[in-house]
Amino acid sequence: MKLIGMYDSPFVRRVAISLHIQGFTFQHLPLSVFRNIDAFRLYNPLLKAPSLVLGDGTLLSDSSLILDYLDEQVPERRLIPPSGEARWTALRQINQAIVTAEKAVSYVYETVLRPPEKHFAPMQERARGQVQTGLALLDERAVALLPGQHLNQLEITTAVTYRFVAHVLPELLTDGAYPRLAALSAQCEALPAFLSAPLES
Ligand SMILES: N[C@@H](CCC(=O)N[C@@H](CS)C(=O)NCC(=O)O)C(=O)O
């Protein structure tokens, strides 16, 4: 399996961490969707990260689709419950983390990719506010890990989202703004799976 995309993408990073936790062997190709367009296009003409190329050449793109595929390959090590109320609760909560990460990515696109003369303050403020709202929702239910606890996808995606926001919008996290999230993030970032996919690599 080949995972294409950079770990400064929260979507790529949550897939890499999940692959590690679920015991898959994979090759990581740290190609940027913006700086390595020609090379990236060889794997995915739609230029979306993450892209996962399976052994038979099948391309999977979109982190949720990839994670669903991985869970099906190793049912005994699933990271999202297979069915019922537990599944829908997990998916609903994971979606809040995903949207928070998407809005932080939007903020980067608005402020870094867009040239200064094309900046539009209302869109920047909107994305910032959505990130803050998302973090508050995630913080309400973030719970510290118990020693030796197996991670699930909600914890992985929540921790990856927090770390990404810490990277791109550090000013939102001052003064202990999200204490439960900060504690969960610190615990997760010390784990081998998270260390195997460093955001700044
Ligand atoms: N919902 C998607 C979001 C993926 C995404 O937006 N990835 C960004 C990199 S962080 C990307 O591919 N950007 C290039 C583009 O959208 O053209 C997922 O979960 O995989």
Side-chain angles (χ1 to χ4, degrees), residues 20-86:
H20 188 281
I21 288 174
Q22 292 180 307
F24 291 97
T25 303
F26 68 101
Q27 182 188 1
H28 178 224
L29 302 181
L31 298 176
S32 162
V33 281
F34 295 108
R35 292 185 300 281
N36 309 115
I37 290 178
D38 291 342
F40 205 104
R41 204 178 265 131
L42 297 176
Y43 297 99
N44 183 352
L46 285 175
L47 293 174
K48 282 300 280 189
S51 293
L52 189 76
V53 180
L54 306 181
D56 66 0
T58 303
L59 168 67
L60 301 180
S61 188
D62 188 274
S63 61
S64 298
L65 172 72
I66 294 171
L67 294 172
D68 216 24
Y69 170 82
L70 298 179
D71 268 4
E72 278 215 12
Q73 302 312 300
V74 286
E76 71 289 358
R77 277 172 278 151
R78 293 188 70 94
L79 298 172
I80 297 177
S83 61
E85 190 51 38

Side-chain angles (χ1 to χ4, degrees), residues 51-194:
S51 293
L52 189 76
V53 180
L54 306 181
D56 66 0
T58 303
L59 168 67
L60 301 180
S61 188
D62 188 274
S63 61
S64 298
L65 172 72
I66 294 171
L67 294 172
D68 216 24
Y69 170 82
L70 298 179
D71 268 4
E72 278 215 12
Q73 302 312 300
V74 286
E76 71 289 358
R77 277 172 278 151
R78 293 188 70 94
L79 298 172
I80 297 177
S83 61
E85 190 51 38
R87 177 172 177 79
W88 294 112
T89 301
L91 289 175
R92 273 202 318 272
Q93 295 182 344
I94 291 166
N95 179 254
Q96 289 181 336
I98 290 284
V99 172
T100 306
E102 281 176 357
K103 293 303 156 186
V105 169
S106 298
Y107 182 83
V108 173
Y109 289 176
E110 290 292 329
T111 54
V112 179
L113 290 188
R114 208 177 268 286
E117 68 275 15
K118 304 267 182 183
H119 281 189
F120 185 53
M123 283 309 287
Q124 295 179 6
E125 283 315 306
R126 179 187 165 91
R128 253 174 90 97
Q130 287 167 299
V131 172
Q132 284 174 300
T133 302
L135 290 177
L137 290 170
L138 297 176
D139 190 63
E140 270 172 26
R141 59 158 188 275
V143 177
L145 303 177
L146 298 171
Q149 181 184 325
H150 290 294
L151 287 184
N152 61 34
Q153 192 53 246
L154 177 60
E155 289 151 350
I156 295 168
T157 303
T158 299
V160 163
T161 296
Y162 182 87
R163 177 70 186 88
F164 181 67
V165 175
H167 184 59
V168 297
L169 275 162
E171 66 272 23
L172 296 188
L173 307 184
T174 51
D175 305 325
Y178 308 100
R180 294 178 205 82
L181 275 182
L184 176 65
S185 166
Q187 285 183 307
C188 288
E189 293 295 339
L191 297 172
F194 279 68

